[in-house]
Amino acid sequence: MQKSRIQNNLNIALISTVIVILGFIPPIPLGFIPVPLVLQNLGVMLAGILLGAKKGTIAIILVFLVGIIIPTFSGSLTLAAITSPSSGYAIAWLFVPFFTSLGLQKFPIQNSYSQFFIVWLAGVLFVDLTGALWLAYATQISIYSAILSSMIFIPGDTLKAFIALIIAKRLLKIKPMSNV
Ligand code: BTN
């Protein structure tokens, strides 16, 4: 019992560390939208698949807490990340583990395409849509323009969802993480 609690905490710490490390990879600014291309959301999707709703959310919250003192958000501190035009994306990350886990549990299909679709819905569509809505509000552009510009992220994010699922499946084969 105690051992599995320690293991759970280690898993959470490990995924948080992965997300923080991915946050140190310099973001790629895009001139036409004040939101950069980042790799960090790959780690967020991994948290959802590997850790499930509760532990995955804790892992993301940890990244926000560490970000109070260390710039864990692609060179920015948490305060900047949650007050910038891109904060809708970062805040949406907090809900990715919940939606991913909900989808994977409600549809416990072993079919990789269906699993990919659930990860994509939660980790890509939901995040990019929420981020776009916040972007429209924060920058006073139309929702249509915000969604249209945010679509630039869809191909890269789709690739990240695919990579996250492959990594997670490999890791789970080696070591089940009991993602509840
Ligand atoms: C931040 O560090 O302030 C958050 C950056 C959010 C970037 C979003 S995440 C989804 C989409 N895909 C990307 O590569 N960039 C945006």
Side-chain angles (χ1 to χ4, degrees):
M1 184 69 180
Q2 184 66 16
K3 201 175 161 198
S4 78
R5 214 172 137 176
I6 293 173
Q7 186 65 59
N8 281 343
N9 291 341
L10 278 176
N11 290 340
I12 293 171
L14 189 72
I15 298 294
S16 298
T17 308
V18 168
I19 300 174
V20 168
I21 290 173
L22 288 173
F24 286 134
I25 296 174
I28 301 175
L30 303 167
F32 62 96
I33 180 174
V35 183
L37 273 173
V38 299
L39 262 189
Q40 205 164 22
N41 52 338
L42 193 157
V44 172
M45 292 187 238
L46 264 184
I49 311 168
L50 286 173
L51 297 177
K54 192 170 155 202
K55 286 178 271 159
T57 310
I58 295 174
I60 314 280
I61 290 174
L62 262 179
V63 175
F64 276 73
L65 290 177
V66 175
I68 294 172
I69 42 169
I70 297 170
T72 51
F73 291 92
S74 308
S76 305
L77 292 169
T78 298
L79 187 63
I82 59 172
T83 53
S84 74
S86 60
S87 53
Y89 298 88
I91 289 168
W93 290 349
L94 286 165
F95 301 93
V96 170
F98 173 76
F99 288 130
T100 308
S101 170
L102 187 75
L104 292 176
Q105 279 176 9
K106 284 254 181 260
F107 304 99
I109 344 116
Q110 286 312 307
N111 177 328
S112 294
Y113 292 108
S114 318
Q115 290 174 336
F116 170 75
F117 186 59
I118 288 166
V119 174
W120 185 84
L121 279 180
V124 179
L125 192 65
F126 165 70
V127 171
D128 289 343
L129 205 58
T130 310
L133 293 179
W134 178 258
L135 181 70
Y137 171 74
T139 58
Q140 295 295 302
I141 59 171
S142 72
I143 290 180
Y144 175 75
S145 311
I147 291 179
L148 202 66
S149 2
S150 197
M151 278 177 67
I152 186 76
F153 299 119
I154 300 279
D157 288 351
T158 300
L159 184 64
K160 290 174 221 166
F162 181 68
I163 294 171
L165 191 62
I166 291 180
I167 295 175
K169 277 178 165 266
R170 295 246 161 122
L171 286 178
L172 289 173
K173 230 180 240 171
I174 302 166
K175 193 172 193 321
M177 284 193 177
S178 93
N179 51 346
V180 279

